[in-house]
Amino acid sequence: MTTSAPDSAPVYYPEIPLSLARPAIIASVLAVVVLVISGFLGHIFFGVWFAAGLVLSLLNAKMVQASVGAATASDTPRKKPVVLNTAVRLGLITVAALVIAFFFRPDGLGVMFGLALCQVIVVLSTVIPVMKGLRKQS
């Protein structure tokens, strides 16, 4: 076990941004751009399914926040409800996305791209401010 020196300064971690406003704005702009481009290419439903994937991903992020908030609100937080909630939530989203991608192919694949890109947006909108805060400390 390692401990810090008694005279060392305490470590302060930057605040984690929990608001989904910025990712929602970025996702909305991205959805409009993809809708316009897919419309010009003659595959407007690709853009529609892409936007649906963005919405599913943002809803997933909101449900993650609610699940973790509920689990950590008690005096003795337990992992089992969070794990079960995560498995069910991700299973339902995955099945829904695969069904859409299969039955509405090729345009239905837009839902997969929307899910993936929105996940990148959500992760980056959380990581970048934290990294900036850590950089300011050093």
Side-chain angles (χ1 to χ4, degrees):
M1 181 165 110
T2 61
T3 58
S4 60
D7 59 342
S8 66
V11 177
Y12 295 102
Y13 295 104
E15 189 69 26
I16 296 173
L18 296 177
S19 171
L20 291 175
R22 181 173 290 154
I25 291 169
I26 295 169
S28 299
V29 170
L30 187 60
V32 169
V33 169
V34 170
L35 275 166
V36 168
I37 291 172
S38 65
F40 281 135
L41 296 175
H43 291 277
I44 190 71
F45 282 106
F46 179 88
V48 171
W49 291 120
F50 182 86
L54 294 173
V55 170
L56 278 174
S57 188
L58 287 171
L59 285 173
N60 179 48
K62 193 64 178 169
M63 288 188 286
V64 166
Q65 288 179 350
S67 174
V68 171
T72 58
S74 68
D75 292 334
T76 56
R78 297 182 358 226
K79 287 190 255 182
K80 187 175 181 178
V82 175
V83 171
L84 185 61
N85 184 309
T86 300
V88 170
R89 186 183 64 252
L90 291 179
L92 289 174
I93 289 173
T94 302
V95 167
L98 288 172
V99 166
I100 290 169
F102 181 76
F103 284 110
F104 297 98
R105 62 179 176 243
D107 293 336
L109 285 174
V111 75
M112 296 294 194
F113 289 106
L115 281 167
L117 285 178
C118 192
Q119 191 62 40
V120 170
I121 291 167
V122 169
V123 168
L124 287 178
S125 69
T126 304
V127 170
I128 290 173
V130 171
M131 295 301 289
K132 285 182 181 178
L134 289 174
R135 191 176 312 141
K136 286 180 184 178
Q137 288 181 5
S138 54

